[in-house]
Amino acid sequence: MAAENNNNVVQVSDLPVKRPREEEQDGGENGATDTLSTLSNHSQHPGISAVIPGWFSEISPMWPGEAHSLKVEKILFEGKSDYQNVMVFQSSTYGKVLVLDGVIQLTERDECAYQEMITHLPLCSIPNPRKVLVIGGGDGGVLREIARYSSVEKIDICEIDKMVVEVSKQFFPDVAVGFEDPRVTLNIGDGVAFLKAVEEGTYDAVIVDSSDPIGPAQELFEKPFFASVARALRPGGVVCTQAESIWLHMDIIEGIVANCRQVFKGSVNYAWTTVPTYPSGMIGFMLCSTEGPTVDFKNPVYSIDEDDSQHSTRPLKFYNSELHSAAFCLPSFAKRAIGSKAN
Amino acid sequence: MAAENNNNVVQVSDLPVKRPREEEQDGGENGATDTLSTLSNHSQHPGISAVIPGWFSEISPMWPGEAHSLKVEKILFEGKSDYQNVMVFQSSTYGKVLVLDGVIQLTERDECAYQEMITHLPLCSIPNPRKVLVIGGGDGGVLREIARYSSVEKIDICEIDKMVVEVSKQFFPDVAVGFEDPRVTLNIGDGVAFLKAVEEGTYDAVIVDSSDPIGPAQELFEKPFFASVARALRPGGVVCTQAESIWLHMDIIEGIVANCRQVFKGSVNYAWTTVPTYPSGMIGFMLCSTEGPTVDFKNPVYSIDEDDSQHSTRPLKFYNSELHSAAFCLPSFAKRAIGSKAN
């Protein structure tokens, strides 16, 4: 397991980033040098955002001109998988943080919001889900949430990057606990290929817990992928995919919605929630159903928050039925852009 | 007007911040120096967050261990009023930005969310508001939103800091346009004193558009202030106050809710919305009513979004009736903390 290789564990001070002062000396008289970007560009870890001494800064062409920074107590792991750079650090106020290709995937402090919403929005919208597929989701958090449903018999997960699974098991036990459920089968491989091999109509629900559409997850935002998902779902089955931020990526979202509208012949809806450590402080979800029994995503048929009191393990921190319905209410600018394409 | 004094306009390169490289040389072997905080501490502008070359970073003891940064194209204004540091800069992707004591107050890109929600949540909850008071709100954005109501006859505003008004008029004409409405009377002074002098039962609604409870706005989060607001409202009148983030300041929020519960004998509710450039990407609002005709905040009695089509000036960008109701749906962790205190 890569995480056990101490050669991969580096301290902040070991990182070969270029410091602003050096850059200023290089750059001559222009004091307004683009420091953070410069750090990023000069890093010997392409794709990893700069770690200025003591802080991690998330910089990406996906959200130009802004950066969210977390104070680093200690970098716990840094490695390069076949697909991406993987980093874990202990932050001073958000707990441990998982970073892929320089982008924050989860923090212990706010992971509940994303994991609970991406799971319960689709699963509370259909009665008695039995077979569920997760594409991506290698940290195990979505599995943990699916495991709350006693109706579920089979949970398949297809994660492309083994290192994400291993690192999560080592550093995020409260998230990766999802892998321990006996109903889970882990497949390491390409989600697109996995879906093509799946028998038609297999799943009640598919949850696509992907990173951004730059890097290994790019295909997961394209039409052929959505068609494979639709094929793998039973009639009236549901899919929920990570679908970016209405503040930052309305163009991407409009494309996703248009694709889904063509592929999914049931309902097509957009929802969102607050996640402080994601760019713009929020994340959206695309919720679609295939032709068959009607799915009214805005009005959940199952109240897991009420039933949840029976589970002594881990009460829901974030999701509840009221918030479920509220998540589909969009600001006017987003409603105008998405509204005509969704229903 | 201070903004016309060129001595107050500085370029990024003129700012006397300490660069990380210098700090590292000072600090000896510890590569993990708290760079951003150091920059802030060494700044000769106390209270202003560090501007590392080319970027503005928002750092505050109110949200330790994290910082949101915006890329700076040009600093347009920097001054020190009797109350706080005032800065305006042109950002590369969020338009112009107003900063008070190092904390972002508004950006042109996302100001619609805050201004529309803090105004229409209270005003759409009562029929035909006639007299409205704004405490704070010196940028004029709340005034702009109040002006949409044809029922409103009188809009009083009491802003403590004249410089905020002047700077907003100069740099944010699309926000400060609110001052141009003939129904507006601007009072420069202390909101607490203003309220004490107000005749009992004067207003249908009071909107408290304050900065954080560190600095000049501190009193606006305390019980005597709420009592003055209640006194100034008619029976069944409403107040909406800026009320921090459930992710960062649940302790402050619980205190505000408890205070309001004692002071306001009608409804007491908490709502929230997304604002990317506020800490944790969201902001909350406290909505209360005085004893009298019942106010059901969650179900607005007036649909300004539908009526808005009549106004040719500036369509609502953010608020709508659906989002109004949704704003009162809280994540479970917040519901548990606030729920027992609000209704």
Side-chain angles (χ1 to χ4, degrees):
Chain A
M1 181 170 170
E4 290 166 358
N5 178 349
N6 280 332
N7 293 333
N8 282 323
V9 181
V10 298
Q11 299 301 314
V12 179
S13 54
D14 297 326
L15 286 175
V17 294
K18 193 162 191 176
R19 302 279 153 65
R21 188 62 183 175
E22 295 168 352
E23 176 56 31
E24 200 193 21
Q25 286 165 346
D26 294 351
E29 294 169 6
N30 181 11
T33 306
D34 180 346
T35 309
L36 298 185
S37 295
T38 302
L39 285 167
S40 185
N41 294 339
H42 285 261
S43 169
Q44 288 173 24
H45 300 260
I48 274 205
S49 294
V51 179
I52 47 177
W55 290 71
F56 166 81
S57 295
E58 187 184 61
I59 296 165
S60 165
M62 287 279 291
W63 41 90
E66 65 181 311
H68 192 242
S69 301
L70 293 177
K71 193 176 173 190
V72 177
E73 294 294 325
K74 190 179 182 182
I75 293 190
L76 301 171
F77 175 83
E78 199 183 32
K80 191 166 167 48
S81 74
D82 291 342
Y83 302 96
Q84 54 204 341
N85 291 291
V86 179
M87 181 166 78
V88 178
F89 68 87
Q90 179 71 48
S91 69
S92 68
T93 54
Y94 276 82
K96 286 199 280 286
V97 182
L98 173 65
V99 180
L100 300 180
D101 276 350
V103 178
I104 292 171
Q105 301 299 308
L106 68 84
T107 80
E108 289 182 314
R109 182 160 158 197
D110 67 2
E111 58 92 11
C112 62
Y114 177 77
Q115 316 276 19
E116 293 185 17
M117 292 299 273
I118 198 173
T119 305
H120 304 306
L121 286 177
L123 294 190
C124 286
S125 296
I126 53 171
N128 304 311
R130 293 190 305 118
K131 295 183 183 176
V132 184
L133 170 64
V134 180
I135 302 288
D139 55 57
V142 171
L143 302 176
R144 178 191 69 199
E145 295 306 316
I146 297 172
R148 295 182 191 272
Y149 294 79
S150 53
S151 66
V152 168
E153 297 161 6
K154 184 175 171 53
I155 309 172
D156 291 333
I157 174 167
C158 186
E159 162 63 51
I160 201 166
D161 195 342
K162 193 182 166 193
M163 190 183 281
V164 173
V165 177
E166 291 168 341
V167 163
S168 298
K169 284 182 177 175
Q170 182 172 6
F171 295 104
F172 300 91
D174 291 344
V175 181
V177 64
F179 286 106
E180 291 172 18
D181 192 284
R183 294 167 291 181
V184 170
T185 305
L186 168 61
N187 304 271
I188 298 294
D190 175 32
V192 176
F194 183 90
L195 269 171
K196 279 183 186 153
V198 161
E199 196 178 339
E200 198 174 330
T202 299
Y203 296 104
D204 299 288
V206 174
I207 297 172
V208 186
D209 175 13
S210 70
S211 46
D212 292 316
I214 289 180
Q218 189 176 343
E219 274 188 280
L220 307 186
F221 292 81
E222 292 167 2
K223 202 167 150 189
F225 174 75
F226 291 130
S228 299
V229 170
R231 211 191 116 272
L233 286 169
R234 68 159 169 82
V238 292
V239 60
C240 182
T241 76
Q242 185 270 95
E244 304 298 325
S245 162
I246 53 171
W247 286 107
L248 299 173
H249 300 122
M250 196 54 94
D251 52 338
I252 296 176
I253 293 167
E254 287 185 61
I256 295 174
V257 173
N259 284 340
C260 287
R261 205 82 206 86
Q262 288 175 35
V263 169
F264 294 98
K265 302 301 182 188
S267 307
V268 175
N269 284 103
Y270 191 85
W272 64 279
T273 199
T274 158
V275 182
T277 57
Y278 285 171
S280 84
M282 65 137 67
I283 189 83
F285 306 102
M286 199 74 228
L287 286 132
C288 309
S289 67
T290 52
E291 198 168 6
T294 304
V295 179
D296 179 6
F297 282 112
K298 295 175 191 173
N299 295 297
V301 295
Y302 181 61
S303 294
I304 189 142
D305 43 333
E306 288 168 18
D307 281 22
D308 190 56
S309 53
Q310 300 163 11
H311 299 256
S312 59
T313 46
R314 184 185 186 275
L316 286 164
K317 289 185 188 171
F318 194 87
Y319 175 91
N320 56 62
S321 295
E322 270 187 9
L323 202 64
H324 179 125
S325 298
F328 293 89
C329 300
L330 304 180
S332 297
F333 72 87
K335 205 172 163 183
R336 283 192 283 265
I338 296 174
S340 59
K341 298 187 188 68
N343 63 359
Chain B
M1 181 169 171
E4 291 166 356
N5 178 351
N6 281 330
N7 294 332
N8 282 322
V9 181
V10 297
Q11 298 303 312
V12 180
S13 55
D14 296 327
L15 286 175
V17 294
K18 195 162 192 178
R19 302 279 152 67
R21 186 64 184 175
E22 295 168 353
E23 176 55 30
E24 200 194 19
Q25 287 166 345
D26 294 351
E29 293 168 7
N30 181 10
T33 307
D34 178 354
T35 310
L36 297 185
S37 293
T38 303
L39 285 167
S40 185
N41 294 340
H42 285 261
S43 168
Q44 287 174 25
H45 300 260
I48 275 206
S49 295
V51 179
I52 47 178
W55 291 70
F56 166 81
S57 295
E58 188 185 60
I59 296 166
S60 166
M62 288 278 292
W63 42 90
E66 66 181 311
H68 193 240
S69 302
L70 294 177
K71 193 176 173 191
V72 176
E73 294 294 322
K74 190 179 182 181
I75 293 189
L76 300 171
F77 175 83
E78 198 183 33
K80 189 164 169 47
S81 75
D82 291 342
Y83 302 96
Q84 54 204 342
N85 292 290
V86 180
M87 181 165 76
V88 178
F89 68 87
Q90 180 71 49
S91 69
S92 67
T93 54
Y94 276 82
K96 286 198 281 284
V97 181
L98 174 65
V99 179
L100 299 180
D101 276 350
V103 178
I104 293 171
Q105 302 298 309
L106 69 83
T107 80
E108 288 181 315
R109 182 158 158 197
D110 66 2
E111 56 92 10
C112 61
Y114 177 77
Q115 316 276 18
E116 293 184 16
M117 292 300 273
I118 199 172
T119 305
H120 304 306
L121 286 176
L123 294 189
C124 286
S125 297
I126 53 173
N128 303 312
R130 293 189 306 118
K131 294 183 183 176
V132 183
L133 170 64
V134 180
I135 303 287
D139 55 56
V142 171
L143 301 176
R144 178 192 69 199
E145 295 305 317
I146 298 171
R148 295 182 190 273
Y149 294 79
S150 53
S151 66
V152 168
E153 296 161 7
K154 184 173 171 55
I155 309 171
D156 289 335
I157 173 168
C158 186
E159 161 65 50
I160 200 166
D161 195 341
K162 192 181 167 195
M163 190 184 282
V164 172
V165 177
E166 290 169 342
V167 162
S168 299
K169 285 182 176 174
Q170 182 172 7
F171 295 104
F172 300 91
D174 292 344
V175 180
V177 65
F179 287 105
E180 292 172 18
D181 192 284
R183 294 167 290 181
V184 170
T185 305
L186 169 61
N187 304 272
I188 297 295
D190 175 32
V192 176
F194 183 90
L195 268 171
K196 279 183 187 154
V198 161
E199 194 178 341
E200 198 174 330
T202 299
Y203 296 104
D204 298 288
V206 175
I207 297 171
V208 187
D209 175 13
S210 70
S211 46
D212 293 316
I214 288 181
Q218 189 175 342
E219 275 188 279
L220 307 186
F221 291 81
E222 292 166 3
K223 202 165 147 188
F225 175 74
F226 291 130
S228 297
V229 170
R231 209 190 119 272
L233 285 170
R234 66 157 169 85
V238 292
V239 60
C240 181
T241 76
Q242 186 271 93
E244 303 299 325
S245 162
I246 53 170
W247 285 107
L248 300 173
H249 301 122
M250 195 56 93
D251 53 336
I252 296 176
I253 293 167
E254 287 185 59
I256 296 174
V257 173
N259 283 341
C260 287
R261 204 82 206 87
Q262 288 173 35
V263 170
F264 294 98
K265 303 301 184 190
S267 308
V268 175
N269 284 101
Y270 191 84
W272 64 280
T273 199
T274 159
V275 183
T277 56
Y278 285 171
S280 82
M282 66 139 66
I283 190 83
F285 306 102
M286 198 75 226
L287 285 134
C288 308
S289 67
T290 52
E291 198 168 7
T294 305
V295 179
D296 178 6
F297 283 111
K298 296 176 189 174
N299 295 297
V301 296
Y302 181 62
S303 294
I304 188 140
D305 42 334
E306 288 168 19
D307 281 22
D308 191 57
S309 53
Q310 299 163 11
H311 299 255
S312 60
T313 45
R314 184 186 185 275
L316 286 164
K317 287 185 187 173
F318 193 88
Y319 174 92
N320 57 62
S321 296
E322 270 189 9
L323 202 64
H324 179 124
S325 298
F328 292 90
C329 300
L330 305 180
S332 297
F333 73 87
K335 205 173 164 182
R336 284 192 283 266
I338 296 173
S340 58
K341 300 188 186 69
N343 63 357

